[in-house]
Amino acid sequence: MTKIVYNGETDPRLCKDVIGATVASLADGDPDVIFLDADLMSCSGTLKWSKTHADRAIDCGIAEANMAGVAAGLAAAGFKPIIHSFGTFASRRIYDQIFLSGGYAKNDITVIGTDPGVTATMNGGTHMPFEDVALYNALPHATVIDASDPTCLESVLRQCVNRPGIKYIRVGRKQYAKIYEDGSELPIGKAVTLREGKDVVIFAAGIMLHEAMKAAASLEAQGVSAAVVDCFTIKPIDADAVEAWAKKCGAVVVAENANRHGGLYDTILEVLAERCPVPAAVVAVEDEFGEVGTQGYLQERFGLTAAHIEEQVKSVLARK
Amino acid sequence: MEFKEKQAIEAFALRIRMAALEAIHSIGSGHVGGVMSISDALAVLYGREMKVRPEDPKWPDRDYLVMSKGHAGPAVYATLALKGFFPYEELKTLNRGGTRLPSHCDRNKTPGVDMTTGSLGQGTSQAAGLALGNKLRGRNNRVFLIVGDGEMDEGQCWESFLFASAKKLGNLVVLIDWNKRQLDGYLDEVLPMGDFVAKMEAFGFDTVKVDGGDVEAIAAALERTRNGGDKPYAIVLDTIKGHGIDEVEAIAMNHSLPVTDERFANWTAELKAKLDALEG
């Protein structure tokens, strides 16, 4: 059951604590679940638990490629591995290992990449994955998730361990705006309507949901009715929901904390082109590398704010 | 090793070479050099050391083979066909559309192939994961990992060796096919690797070096690994790329070679003569 409780407030939980608690709970309930990290257990909230669960928490050291391969071997031995690193290393650094030892070899692995896009803040451009979504989108049969809030994170992580293929979950380590009631289930592959509307639909994911909701409220005051749809599952996209909303509103804006190429925008454009061509626009990173700064600075710098969404809504409505 | 058993293993190694050559000839060319250099080790592994069930390839308690130098697939396929994992005639489907025998090993295609390899270095981590998983499951089996000497250029190998040692994977046996040559030429010209024994010892492996063309020596080295313990094992196989066929050994760049009808006839005759001399 999914209940929306969004009112603009922040969920008190840190996502890294949710990862830690969920991994511990999954391992308790299933002897096949095993967690691997690459010297970042203190960042994934699993360090304390790992000290008392040495057989279920494997620290691989700073060797992400090996971690991905070891996870593949563990899967071949009958385990359900969950691996973690920062999003940059959990995607591009281990791509060949995840692609071949994992996906191609049919060794099922859940990958958690933390600090996606601008949430990498003080670690800066070297640690700022704008491309992780595109990489995992290009991996056949992969599942790609941009978690909406701590509740969504817990729900999708629980589903991923028993889901075939490679599953990539990108999520910040810190706090998110609260969207769903604690304990809500978010079935993978089903988009969720956060706000009804009739003039334009905003498809968003991850931290951009909060921005989309703020933009929709502001637009309402200006007489524009904007729907907001949570596309936390980027792949497989909920094509039926995309089509239905595009048909109803006749104008689409996509908001994502990633490069505009190869991510949610492209995914939605494919659906629109094949099923329901309507004017579309995007709020995303305009094909740039990351840089250091606060999240507020970076959202302004890369154009990932509610104001940028409003601007694109107006632009797309003019083309409707 | 009894004399008769030694003879049988040597004959098995020759048959592996002949069968692999037949497979490669059927498609016209392939990785002849590295197939020949690893045939003796495969004969010892599948001829006496490994617990496997050809009729039940996925038996969970089996010993596993990870051929990380995945381009030696034809040597593995020849071995498995001779062991009865699939019909011998299927070897001639190598690399043909729809085959179960692709150029590089694929665990989802070939009965008896335990891991998918080909992107060099990746098999080492997979083998470490398999060994860790088997250990956690309490299985009393071993994982045999075959790595090419040129493959050791890949940094992932060394990451995985550190890991195997740190996790005390005494159920992992790494066999390094030290045949001195990689695709572009000799290791010493392309990227000199120094002393493999010293390197593996430094990475925490119980290491020996043996003549990789001497089945008795390989067998003795493998017997040492039966008792497990806290250290993973490494066996450096001192081999010759193309071993077993004089003309192939003599071709400096023998990583991949065309196998014409004439070459196939001559090379098979040489191997057959050795087999006849052995079996009388």
Side-chain angles (χ1 to χ4, degrees), chain B residues 82-186:
Chain B
L82 291 165
K83 287 288 287 183
F85 280 84
F86 52 83
Y88 185 91
E89 278 309 303
E90 200 170 334
L91 289 174
K92 289 184 186 168
T93 69
L94 181 74
N95 292 359
R96 295 192 186 277
T99 186
R100 296 199 294 176
L101 309 179
S103 57
H104 296 77
C105 295
D106 189 324
R107 77 184 195 104
N108 295 304
K109 290 198 158 58
T110 315
V113 167
D114 292 318
M115 204 40 102
T116 300
T117 53
S119 180
L120 293 174
Q122 291 201 24
T124 67
S125 301
Q126 296 173 344
L130 267 175
L132 175 63
N134 287 334
K135 188 177 164 185
L136 292 173
R137 283 274 196 259
R139 293 181 185 133
N140 184 29
N141 57 0
R142 284 175 290 171
V143 176
F144 296 95
L145 164 67
I146 296 177
V147 191
D149 52 359
E151 180 177 10
M152 299 282 257
D153 293 355
E154 292 280 4
Q156 190 178 350
C157 297
W158 304 99
E159 290 187 4
S160 74
F161 296 155
L162 268 180
F163 179 88
S165 174
K167 305 303 176 192
K168 301 184 183 348
L169 301 180
N171 56 346
L172 176 67
V173 183
V174 181
L175 297 101
I176 300 166
D177 184 7
W178 183 40
N179 62 28
K180 330 291 186 296
R181 298 182 229 182
Q182 53 196 107
L183 196 149
D184 274 349
Y186 286 85

Side-chain angles (χ1 to χ4, degrees), chain B:
Chain B
M1 188 189 285
E2 298 276 329
F3 180 72
K4 274 200 154 173
E5 189 185 9
K6 184 185 173 197
Q7 242 185 355
I9 301 285
E10 285 176 344
F12 186 26
L14 284 165
R15 288 197 168 87
I16 291 170
R17 287 186 168 90
M18 291 166 73
L21 197 60
E22 196 172 343
I24 293 170
H25 171 252
S26 75
I27 194 72
S29 71
H31 296 102
V32 179
V35 162
M36 295 300 151
S37 62
I38 202 61
S39 292
D40 298 301
L42 285 170
V44 180
L45 284 167
Y46 282 89
R48 79 193 296 268
E49 195 63 26
M50 288 175 63
K51 287 179 297 172
V52 291
R53 293 178 178 168
E55 72 287 359
D56 183 13
K58 299 276 183 199
W59 175 42
D61 290 326
R62 71 189 182 279
D63 290 329
Y64 290 73
L65 182 89
V66 179
M67 178 58 85
S68 193
K69 43 174 269 181
H71 52 276
V76 178
Y77 308 150
T79 308
L80 295 173
L82 291 165
K83 287 288 287 183
F85 280 84
F86 52 83
Y88 185 91
E89 278 309 303
E90 200 170 334
L91 289 174
K92 289 184 186 168
T93 69
L94 181 74
N95 292 359
R96 295 192 186 277
T99 186
R100 296 199 294 176
L101 309 179
S103 57
H104 296 77
C105 295
D106 189 324
R107 77 184 195 104
N108 295 304
K109 290 198 158 58
T110 315
V113 167
D114 292 318
M115 204 40 102
T116 300
T117 53
S119 180
L120 293 174
Q122 291 201 24
T124 67
S125 301
Q126 296 173 344
L130 267 175
L132 175 63
N134 287 334
K135 188 177 164 185
L136 292 173
R137 283 274 196 259
R139 293 181 185 133
N140 184 29
N141 57 0
R142 284 175 290 171
V143 176
F144 296 95
L145 164 67
I146 296 177
V147 191
D149 52 359
E151 180 177 10
M152 299 282 257
D153 293 355
E154 292 280 4
Q156 190 178 350
C157 297
W158 304 99
E159 290 187 4
S160 74
F161 296 155
L162 268 180
F163 179 88
S165 174
K167 305 303 176 192
K168 301 184 183 348
L169 301 180
N171 56 346
L172 176 67
V173 183
V174 181
L175 297 101
I176 300 166
D177 184 7
W178 183 40
N179 62 28
K180 330 291 186 296
R181 298 182 229 182
Q182 53 196 107
L183 196 149
D184 274 349
Y186 286 85
L187 266 68
D188 284 346
E189 299 163 353
V190 177
L191 189 63
M193 291 300 295
D195 183 345
F196 278 121
V197 174
K199 279 187 165 66
M200 296 307 288
E201 282 284 351
F203 274 71
F205 280 63
D206 180 322
T207 309
V208 295
K209 181 167 80 174
V210 300
D211 178 347
D214 178 346
V215 297
E216 208 164 4
I218 299 168
L222 287 170
E223 279 182 21
R224 287 185 70 250
T225 72
R226 288 178 184 172
N227 295 327
D230 276 350
K231 282 177 129 184
Y233 293 89
I235 300 171
V236 179
L237 299 168
D238 185 349
T239 55
I240 299 164
K241 198 155 182 172
H243 185 57
I245 305 173
D246 292 345
E247 190 182 338
V248 177
E249 286 185 28
I251 300 170
M253 303 286 274
N254 67 10
H255 184 76
S256 181
L257 293 174
V259 181
T260 59
D261 291 345
E262 187 189 352
R263 278 179 163 177
F264 177 58
N266 291 340
W267 296 351
T268 301
E270 181 181 340
L271 293 167
K272 181 73 167 55
K274 286 178 184 169
L275 189 61
D276 289 344
L278 201 60
E279 296 185 329

Side-chain angles (χ1 to χ4, degrees), chain A residues 69-147:
Chain A
V70 166
L74 285 165
F79 287 86
K80 300 171 185 172
I82 303 169
I83 71 175
H84 165 259
S85 187
F86 290 150
T88 44
F89 314 129
S91 58
R92 61 177 193 253
R93 181 151 194 137
I94 62 170
Y95 194 60
D96 192 38
Q97 286 75 20
I98 283 292
F99 195 100
L100 289 176
S101 295
Y104 181 84
K106 294 192 171 72
N107 288 314
D108 301 340
I109 302 170
T110 300
V111 184
I112 303 172
T114 48
D115 294 0
V118 294
T119 67
T121 64
M122 295 303 163
N123 275 329
T126 56
H127 287 54
M128 197 161 286
F130 292 149
E131 67 294 330
D132 55 334
V133 178
L135 288 169
Y136 277 99
N137 270 346
L139 201 163
H141 318 305
T143 298
V144 184
I145 305 281
D146 196 346

Side-chain angles (χ1 to χ4, degrees), chain A residues 121-303:
Chain A
T121 64
M122 295 303 163
N123 275 329
T126 56
H127 287 54
M128 197 161 286
F130 292 149
E131 67 294 330
D132 55 334
V133 178
L135 288 169
Y136 277 99
N137 270 346
L139 201 163
H141 318 305
T143 298
V144 184
I145 305 281
D146 196 346
S148 328
D149 75 349
T151 300
C152 173
L153 168 63
E154 177 175 352
S155 176
V156 296
L157 184 50
R158 288 185 179 282
Q159 294 169 68
C160 280
V161 291
N162 291 309
R163 188 176 166 90
I166 300 297
K167 291 80 57 171
Y168 179 67
I169 303 170
R170 70 195 305 256
V171 66
R173 283 180 287 155
K174 296 177 182 165
Q175 288 177 300
Y176 274 60
K178 189 174 189 63
I179 294 172
Y180 299 107
E181 185 177 66
D182 292 3
S184 285
E185 296 291 335
L186 282 299
I188 289 173
K190 293 297 287 181
V192 182
T193 302
L194 299 186
R195 184 186 171 108
E196 300 284 338
K198 59 181 176 51
D199 299 329
V200 62
V201 55
I202 305 166
F203 295 113
I207 63 163
M208 296 310 292
L209 290 165
H210 183 42
E211 302 302 318
M213 291 297 274
K214 285 191 284 184
S218 169
L219 287 162
E220 187 176 33
Q222 300 168 57
V224 175
S225 168
V228 177
V229 176
D230 180 356
C231 294
F232 65 91
T233 310
I234 298 173
K235 184 182 177 181
I237 193 71
D238 186 348
D240 290 342
V242 170
E243 180 185 5
W245 275 109
K247 275 188 177 148
K248 180 175 175 186
C249 297
V252 167
V253 171
V254 176
E256 60 178 323
N257 171 27
N259 194 312
R260 61 176 286 156
H261 300 298
L264 181 62
Y265 185 47
D266 279 359
T267 305
I268 284 175
L269 290 184
E270 284 175 14
V271 179
L272 298 183
E274 290 169 15
R275 296 197 189 186
C276 176
V278 297
V282 67
V283 169
V285 176
E286 291 292 329
D287 204 26
E288 292 195 74
F289 294 108
E291 64 180 60
V292 76
T294 62
Q295 189 171 318
Y297 166 81
L298 293 167
Q299 284 187 241
E300 285 292 344
R301 161 72 182 80
F302 291 106

